[in-house]
Amino acid sequence: MELKEKLISSFMAFEQHIDVDSNLHDLRGAAIKNFENKGFPTKKEEAWKYTSLNSVLKNDYSVFPKHEPAVEFADVKKYFLHEIDSYKVVFIDGKYSSFLSATTHDGIDVCLMSSALHKPKYKMIIDEYFNKTASREESLTTLNTAFAAEGAYIHIPKSKVVEKPIEIIYFSTGKEDALMVQPRNLVVVGENAHVQIIERHQSLNENPVLTNSVTEVFAQKRAIVDYYKVQNDLSSANLIDNTYIAQRQESRVSVHTFSFGGNITRNNLNFYHLGERIDSTLKGITIIGDKQHVDHYTLVHHAQPNCESHQNYKCILNDSATGVFNGKIYVEKEAQKTDAFQQNNNILLSDKATINAKPQLEIFADDVKCSHGCTIGQLDETAMFYMQQRGIPQKEAKALLMYAFSNEVIESIKIPELKKRITKIIATKLGVNLGFDL
């Protein structure tokens, strides 16, 4: 049975175990119907022109795990940001792990989507925010909506500054021969509130995993949200990460995406401006080799005047790796005084590496400052020669140049311990000790 048919059949079984009188019943039905009509995206679609899922979809995925997950803290400790205290929402094979988690209701809600979707105390928030900004047409997003049952629910009330970062981690044990998981996250940040979130998907063995994740983020007036995505999974893991962000007046939201591991990774990142004087930041570092494939698809929809957006994506490709940057800035007629910047820089270390870059501007306002740029090249041979003349070995000189290339994004990380962790990962990817005090 093909995966599409298996999912549609599984939805019928899934539907029998959920409340048919729930407000979500009709929403789920419409979502699975959309997926049934459209199926998985193909390269015939413009947005997926450079990314094929054919090899991924051949696996016989379990949609509902048959084995009870059990993971010891010692086995996964290295994946946590253990240098500092943090709230933790941890899932194993799609199921919540109370043993590994550290959630709270003390002034903020850091808990589970399963609770939020079914308990009356959360009904007002769910009715107002759930599935309100996520696409109802994009097939993989609607597939997630149909099966939405578990994930992280984060609600930060008005004027609350969250003192500790929140870590959302999804572990895949590999106890299934192949597993598909579909986590759903909802983040609502109230007026004048501030939160930092770190998200990670991590396989614990080489059995194939397909993750189809959807995250909705709502930033109210003057809210500040710093969101970090760490993607350093095993070569058997495939991730489709759909993130939708709605911002109100004077809010500031930044998303940093660090793509180092995995087989095929697709990041769909969508920002929507719903007020004036909004600031949106999208930054990313991709360092991959072998036959890895990372696709960044971004949209910033400027619908109100006096807003800013800043995109800066760095990509280093080796061996037969493939990178994609497909970024769009859309400025409506009413969005005067928009300041939108987009930059994509790429380094190819191998003749077999490929980059597909498609920066786009669609501007219907006449009083704006918008720019985009894209570069594709190799390491500076003159700089390499200069460093070697001063006694730096070729391997270290090459690594230092690549680190310098990435540093503009690294320096904007606001959590010092995470900055150290990302620097360590980059050093490992480059195969050197960069000599920093980590």
Side-chain angles (χ1 to χ4, degrees):
M1 183 186 298
E2 291 188 359
L3 182 57
K4 177 184 174 182
E5 284 68 35
K6 185 174 186 177
L7 286 164
I8 294 169
S9 176
S10 298
F11 176 76
M12 296 176 184
F14 170 75
E15 197 177 33
Q16 293 176 3
H17 296 282
I18 59 177
D19 184 2
V20 295
D21 295 325
S22 166
N23 293 335
L24 300 180
H25 179 71
D26 292 341
L27 185 66
R28 294 184 193 276
I32 196 66
K33 186 174 182 179
N34 180 77
F35 173 74
E36 185 176 7
N37 291 336
K38 295 187 175 181
F40 286 97
T42 70
K43 296 180 74 172
K44 293 180 180 179
E45 300 176 35
E46 186 64 27
W48 288 80
K49 183 177 180 180
Y50 304 110
T51 299
S52 171
L53 297 177
N54 288 344
S55 61
V56 176
L57 302 179
K58 290 178 180 178
N59 293 306
D60 184 18
Y61 295 102
S62 296
V63 179
F64 304 114
K66 304 179 185 67
H67 301 91
E68 281 298 320
V71 173
E72 296 297 324
F73 178 70
D75 299 329
V76 297
K77 178 181 177 181
K78 63 182 178 180
Y79 300 115
F80 292 98
L81 198 65
H82 50 77
E83 297 89 348
I84 58 173
D85 193 17
S86 65
Y87 298 114
K88 300 174 181 67
V89 192
V90 181
F91 302 89
I92 302 174
D93 291 344
K95 297 181 179 180
Y96 175 65
S97 170
S98 58
F99 173 68
L100 296 175
S101 298
T103 59
T104 180
H105 294 275
D106 185 18
I108 62 176
D109 272 328
V110 179
C111 59
L112 307 180
M113 279 298 297
S114 56
S115 295
L117 289 173
H118 299 294
K119 291 186 177 180
K121 65 177 288 189
Y122 301 106
K123 186 178 187 303
M124 184 179 298
I125 298 296
I126 292 298
D127 287 348
E128 184 172 356
Y129 296 105
F130 181 79
N131 208 52
K132 293 301 188 292
T133 190
S135 172
R136 301 195 180 196
E137 297 298 328
E138 203 283 324
S139 65
L140 290 176
T141 296
T142 59
L143 174 62
N144 178 285
T145 299
F147 285 92
E150 194 58 286
Y153 171 88
I154 299 170
H155 179 211
I156 312 301
K158 180 179 179 180
S159 301
K160 180 69 175 181
V161 177
V162 183
E163 299 295 337
K164 302 187 293 186
I166 300 171
E167 295 186 79
I168 307 171
I169 304 184
Y170 292 92
F171 290 113
S172 299
T173 63
K175 290 185 177 180
E176 307 290 334
D177 292 336
L179 177 67
M180 182 177 184
V181 290
Q182 301 198 74
R184 182 65 170 244
N185 304 314
L186 177 63
V187 180
V188 180
V189 185
E191 187 174 326
N192 295 312
H194 183 189
V195 67
Q196 297 174 318
I197 300 172
I198 304 165
E199 179 185 342
R200 182 165 188 162
H201 301 264
Q202 187 63 50
S203 302
L204 301 179
N205 81 8
E206 294 287 349
N207 282 352
V209 176
L210 172 58
T211 300
N212 178 37
S213 176
V214 172
T215 300
E216 293 182 280
V217 179
F218 295 86
Q220 303 296 357
K221 292 180 180 179
R222 294 177 296 279
I224 301 175
V225 182
D226 298 316
Y227 208 113
Y228 302 94
K229 295 176 179 287
V230 182
Q231 301 169 347
N232 191 31
D233 212 339
L234 302 181
S235 59
S236 55
N238 302 281
L239 172 64
I240 301 162
D241 186 44
N242 308 282
T243 303
Y244 299 89
I245 298 171
Q247 292 184 247
R248 293 290 181 183
Q249 179 179 336
E250 297 179 32
S251 62
R252 291 159 51 195
V253 177
S254 67
V255 176
H256 288 66
T257 306
F258 304 103
S259 303
F260 305 125
N263 176 34
I264 291 179
T265 302
R266 164 75 176 216
N267 291 299
N268 297 320
L269 183 54
N270 306 272
F271 278 75
Y272 300 98
H273 288 185
L274 307 177
E276 295 191 39
R277 293 179 294 281
I278 286 170
D279 189 286
S280 302
T281 299
L282 302 76
K283 294 190 176 184
I285 299 174
T286 300
I287 304 177
I288 54 175
D290 298 323
K291 295 183 179 181
Q292 290 178 276
H293 182 109
V294 173
D295 182 346
H296 294 287
Y297 184 92
T298 69
L299 167 68
V300 181
H301 189 151
H302 287 268
Q304 300 290 333
N306 302 301
C307 294
E308 298 184 17
S309 66
H310 310 272
Q311 300 185 55
N312 191 358
Y313 283 80
K314 306 281 190 177
C315 185
I316 300 174
L317 302 172
N318 202 358
D319 305 319
S320 298
T322 301
V324 181
F325 176 77
N326 192 340
K328 178 185 286 188
I329 297 171
Y330 188 94
V331 183
E332 293 193 8
K333 183 178 180 180
E334 294 78 15
Q336 303 294 342
K337 303 293 184 182
T338 289
D339 185 352
F341 168 81
Q342 182 188 87
Q343 185 68 33
N344 171 229
N345 302 108
N346 307 278
I347 291 179
L348 303 181
L349 301 177
S350 163
D351 292 339
K352 295 181 179 179
T354 303
I355 181 71
N356 299 286
K358 187 181 178 183
Q360 304 172 70
L361 295 177
E362 290 191 32
I363 303 171
F364 298 95
D366 52 21
D367 186 7
V368 301
K369 184 166 66 173
C370 298
S371 63
H372 65 73
C374 176
T375 63
I376 301 172
Q378 299 175 324
L379 290 176
D380 189 333
E381 293 294 336
T382 302
M384 284 280 292
F385 178 77
Y386 178 86
M387 295 172 74
Q388 289 179 265
Q389 286 292 96
R390 279 148 184 80
I392 300 175
Q394 183 181 20
K395 184 178 180 180
E396 282 71 16
K398 186 177 180 181
L400 284 170
L401 286 176
M402 289 189 286
Y403 180 82
F405 172 78
S406 307
N407 194 52
E408 188 177 354
V409 175
I410 297 171
E411 284 302 309
S412 64
I413 301 173
K414 295 179 182 178
I415 304 174
E417 293 77 11
L418 180 62
K419 184 185 293 187
K420 291 180 181 180
R421 180 69 62 88
I422 295 300
T423 302
K424 284 183 178 181
I425 293 174
I426 290 175
T428 301
K429 291 289 291 186
L430 300 181
V432 296
N433 181 355
L434 292 173
F436 300 114
D437 182 14
L438 299 176

